[in-house]
Amino acid sequence: MRSRTLKTLQNLCLDEFKINLYEYDNYSFSGNTSGTFWSALYLQLEGETIFKFQNYDIIASPNDFFYIPKGCRYNHIQKGTEKCKFYILSFSFRESEGDRYDSICSFTKINSISPQQAKKFLDFIYNSFDYGESAKIESISNFYKLFSELLPYIKNEKNDPIHPAIRKAMDYINDHLLEDFSIKDVADFCNISESRLYHLFNEQLHTTPIRYKNHTKIKQSFVLLTTTNLSVSEIAEKLNFASATYYRYAFRKTTNSTPTRYRKIFRLQNNNF
């Protein structure tokens, strides 16, 4: 008789498993700067949110599907006043010796299944909690099946860090924020083509170099709006926006607000009249 024992089975036993459907009508903020307790599958249903990491941001738009590993450090911000709705399926595998499947991977945008498939899967799990134990068991079974299909596409944290060219590009943008430079200048500094830079930004940051550049400028403008009396036109000029009109457009695109309104709310909240 021959027998085989799956020694890693204990690494695959679920210790925690829950799903939440969040809906917000106004600005919301949640912080996980100490690291998330569980891993999660995240599906953006409506609106946009920002995952703010230490060195970069990722914008989640409708139908974006992400894997969030246990211990991931980020802030989660809903943009402006637009309605926001998203699923979070949180799970944790039992603690055991060696690397756990949910602890060796990094934050990843999942493209291996369609948003429609992801929503159908999460809808079933969310509704299964109303239909007794058999439905819950089926949900867990479906989870294992889905996770096994996703695992080959989830980036390994140890072998797949942010591309060096992306690091150089982000450093260049931050260091030259007050200067007039093009995306071609950034690509030349990174010794890659402009099209390759766009590809890497889309693949790893899920945005474009222009959007990242504008978003970084907008974050810097938050400081100028709240610590100086510079006019909107002066801030636009200082940050090398093409015009005050374009600055207002980019600001609204990022925050669903205006620079003037942002400054007014900040001063009211801080009693700085």
Side-chain angles (χ1 to χ4, degrees):
M1 181 183 75
R2 294 182 179 180
S3 65
R4 294 179 177 177
T5 301
L6 186 58
K7 295 182 178 180
T8 58
L9 184 61
Q10 59 181 336
N11 291 15
L12 292 169
C13 291
L14 281 172
D15 193 37
E16 302 286 352
F17 188 73
K18 71 173 183 178
I19 187 167
N20 290 301
L21 177 60
Y22 292 96
E23 293 186 62
Y24 296 103
D25 291 324
N26 297 301
Y27 176 88
S28 70
F29 172 90
S30 62
N32 290 294
T33 53
S34 297
T36 54
F37 292 110
W38 298 353
S39 297
L41 295 175
Y42 177 102
L43 178 64
Q44 189 78 26
L45 299 172
E46 298 177 26
E48 286 191 341
T49 56
I50 304 173
F51 288 92
K52 295 185 71 66
F53 298 91
Q54 183 176 1
N55 296 315
Y56 60 94
D57 299 344
I58 290 178
I59 297 175
S61 300
N63 295 324
D64 282 347
F65 190 36
F66 295 97
Y67 170 76
I68 305 173
K70 180 179 180 180
C72 189
R73 294 178 171 86
Y74 64 89
N75 288 320
H76 184 256
I77 303 171
Q78 177 203 336
K79 296 171 59 177
T81 58
E82 183 181 6
K83 182 179 179 181
C84 184
K85 185 176 181 180
F86 54 89
Y87 267 126
I88 295 183
L89 172 62
S90 303
F91 59 92
S92 179
F93 292 119
R94 185 175 299 166
E95 295 289 350
S96 58
E97 294 182 1
D99 287 332
R100 289 171 21 171
Y101 288 96
D102 59 341
S103 63
I104 63 173
C105 301
S106 62
F107 188 98
T108 304
K109 185 177 183 181
I110 299 169
N111 297 309
S112 56
I113 68 170
S114 69
Q116 293 75 22
Q117 288 175 299
K119 185 177 185 302
K120 183 178 179 180
F121 165 76
L122 293 172
D123 281 342
F124 179 83
I125 292 180
Y126 184 78
N127 293 322
S128 71
F129 284 80
D130 296 326
Y131 296 115
E133 294 303 315
S134 60
K136 293 178 185 178
I137 292 172
E138 186 177 356
S139 291
I140 293 174
S141 174
N142 288 340
F143 166 78
Y144 276 118
K145 183 176 184 298
L146 178 68
F147 192 71
S148 67
E149 293 175 357
L150 297 180
L151 197 57
Y153 301 96
I154 296 174
K155 300 174 184 177
N156 189 302
E157 181 71 34
K158 296 179 179 178
N159 300 321
D160 193 18
I162 292 292
H163 194 284
I166 295 294
R167 295 286 187 199
K168 288 184 69 175
M170 291 191 298
D171 287 343
Y172 183 94
I173 291 172
N174 289 324
D175 291 344
H176 298 79
L177 201 59
L178 302 183
E179 302 173 20
D180 186 16
F181 64 91
S182 67
I183 300 304
K184 185 179 184 306
D185 293 330
V186 180
D188 290 344
F189 177 77
C190 298
N191 295 314
I192 58 175
S193 67
E194 196 170 346
S195 61
R196 175 62 174 163
L197 185 66
Y198 270 87
H199 173 77
L200 288 174
F201 263 79
N202 181 63
E203 180 181 64
Q204 297 205 327
L205 301 185
H206 318 298
T207 188
T208 67
I210 290 177
R211 199 174 183 184
Y212 179 85
K213 175 185 175 182
N214 282 342
H215 187 63
T216 304
K217 285 186 175 184
I218 294 300
K219 288 197 295 184
Q220 181 61 31
S221 79
F222 292 162
V223 178
L224 297 175
L225 286 168
T226 56
T227 62
T228 75
N229 289 317
L230 292 174
S231 68
V232 171
S233 295
E234 289 171 330
I235 291 174
E237 182 178 0
K238 187 176 183 65
L239 292 174
N240 272 300
F241 281 99
S243 66
T245 300
Y246 183 73
Y247 167 53
R248 291 187 182 95
Y249 166 80
F251 195 97
R252 179 176 286 277
K253 188 78 172 174
T254 301
T255 67
N256 278 346
S257 184
T258 65
T260 302
R261 184 170 181 268
Y262 178 88
R263 171 179 271 169
K264 181 179 179 181
I265 291 174
F266 178 86
R267 289 181 174 176
L268 286 172
Q269 290 177 342
N270 291 273
N271 297 317
N272 185 15
F273 298 100

